[in-house]
Amino acid sequence: MLQNPLFDQLHVLRLRGMAAALEHQLASPDAAALPFEDRLALLLQHEAHDRKTQRLGQRLRWAKLAQGACLEDLDTRTPRGLQKTALTPITSLAWITEHLNVLIAGPTGVGKSWIACAIGHAACRIDHTVRFYRLPRLVDELTRATAMNNRSSFFRSLAKVDLLILDDFGLTPLTDQTRRDLLEILDDRYDKKSTLITSQLPVEQWHDYLGDPTLADAILDRLVHNAYRLNLTGESMRKRKTTKPLTASSN
């Protein structure tokens, strides 16, 4: 008799997980036999799980990861330099709370972006905020923020992110303004938040890529010296994905 008002009140209080669990209990004879405290505990557990799932969904939507990758699916059998001694400290994610960086370098197709997205997904699962940008897209966002007179707000938003992932560093030349913007972003984050960068260029070539020696020194000083490095090798994994030719069936 009081069930409908009770469900209405649970939804008003945004206890949707508890409402769903209560509906399940009311339909289950076994649940009806449980003591009140046990039934309440189950309702609360369901609500907590539902909220955790919703928070994860929100973090993943905001992160905008380029791939749906998970560390549990990481291929360590394909030879590409994924040594356990180098990989374990990175996949443990402790470096995020220590405000350190990760630099992943290697030729095209060896899985740099996939690993970066898998790390980003894992970070979201333990309540870290994550934001993913391909470097060319970040440049576009900076240009848009400048046009809208919103640069300061954009820089502040990047400074607050627990893990900022910059993919495809080194693919296209950088303007002097972009180099200065990158320095400002990394300076805001230095020793406060973590940054993960992927690049086809070896880290040793990043100074030459950045061009301006003074800005390059400043950028790399805030990025390289407190970073774990993962150097991938081997052929493109995309070449391993072959399609079988279609053969016409005979009548």
Side-chain angles (χ1 to χ4, degrees):
M1 185 174 179
L2 295 177
Q3 288 180 14
N4 287 338
L6 178 57
F7 279 110
D8 291 343
Q9 193 63 39
L10 288 173
H11 282 285
V12 167
L13 294 173
R14 297 185 179 179
L15 299 173
R16 299 180 183 89
M18 187 175 288
L22 178 59
E23 184 176 5
H24 176 75
Q25 284 189 9
L26 292 174
S28 172
D30 294 336
L34 293 174
F36 170 78
E37 293 83 357
D38 291 348
R39 294 185 64 179
L40 178 60
L42 290 172
L43 294 178
L44 292 173
Q45 289 174 14
H46 201 285
E47 178 64 31
H49 181 268
D50 186 70
R51 291 191 180 194
K52 182 177 181 180
T53 301
Q54 290 187 33
R55 287 198 305 271
L56 175 59
Q58 291 173 350
R59 285 192 295 272
L60 288 173
R61 285 191 294 273
W62 194 77
K64 296 184 179 180
L65 301 173
Q67 302 182 49
C70 296
L71 286 176
E72 291 82 358
D73 298 328
L74 179 61
D75 177 9
T76 57
R77 293 173 297 179
T78 301
R80 47 179 171 152
L82 284 177
Q83 298 178 356
K84 187 175 181 180
T85 53
L87 191 61
T88 299
I90 295 174
T91 56
S92 73
L93 304 183
W95 52 277
I96 299 178
T97 56
E98 296 169 359
H99 307 143
L100 303 177
N101 303 320
V102 166
L103 313 177
I104 304 177
T108 184
V110 293
K112 301 182 298 296
S113 300
W114 193 98
I115 293 174
C117 289
I119 290 172
H121 186 277
C124 287
R125 284 161 56 184
I126 57 174
D127 287 338
H128 288 302
T129 54
V130 178
R131 194 70 168 88
F132 177 99
Y133 286 101
R134 290 184 63 252
L135 189 59
R137 181 62 58 85
L138 177 62
V139 173
D140 290 343
E141 292 293 329
L142 288 166
T143 302
R144 185 177 296 107
T146 300
M148 298 179 65
N149 198 25
N150 199 29
R151 285 169 54 84
S152 296
S153 177
F154 185 60
F155 282 132
R156 285 196 300 271
S157 69
L158 292 179
K160 294 177 182 178
V161 177
D162 294 329
L163 174 60
L164 176 64
I165 300 175
L166 299 181
D167 193 29
D168 286 339
F169 179 84
L171 277 186
T172 56
L174 301 179
T175 65
D176 184 63
Q177 183 59 56
T178 300
R179 287 191 290 264
R180 293 182 183 279
D181 288 341
L182 185 59
L183 174 58
E184 182 146 353
I185 291 169
L186 295 174
D187 187 58
D188 286 343
R189 302 180 57 77
Y190 179 72
D191 213 25
K192 302 182 188 72
K193 301 292 182 180
S194 295
T195 304
L196 186 156
I197 291 183
T198 76
S199 178
Q200 293 184 29
L201 295 176
V203 175
E204 293 73 21
Q205 295 181 20
W206 289 10
H207 194 280
D208 291 340
Y209 164 70
L210 289 167
D212 185 300
T214 302
L215 288 174
D217 285 343
I219 289 171
L220 296 182
D221 184 61
R222 290 158 175 79
L223 188 61
V224 174
H225 304 303
N226 60 341
Y228 287 101
R229 297 192 192 185
L230 191 60
N231 297 310
L232 304 183
T233 58
E235 293 185 349
S236 171
M237 297 181 69
R238 299 186 185 98
K239 293 181 180 179
R240 299 174 181 271
K241 298 179 180 178
T242 58
T243 57
K244 296 181 180 180
L246 297 175
T247 57
S249 59
S250 59
N251 295 326

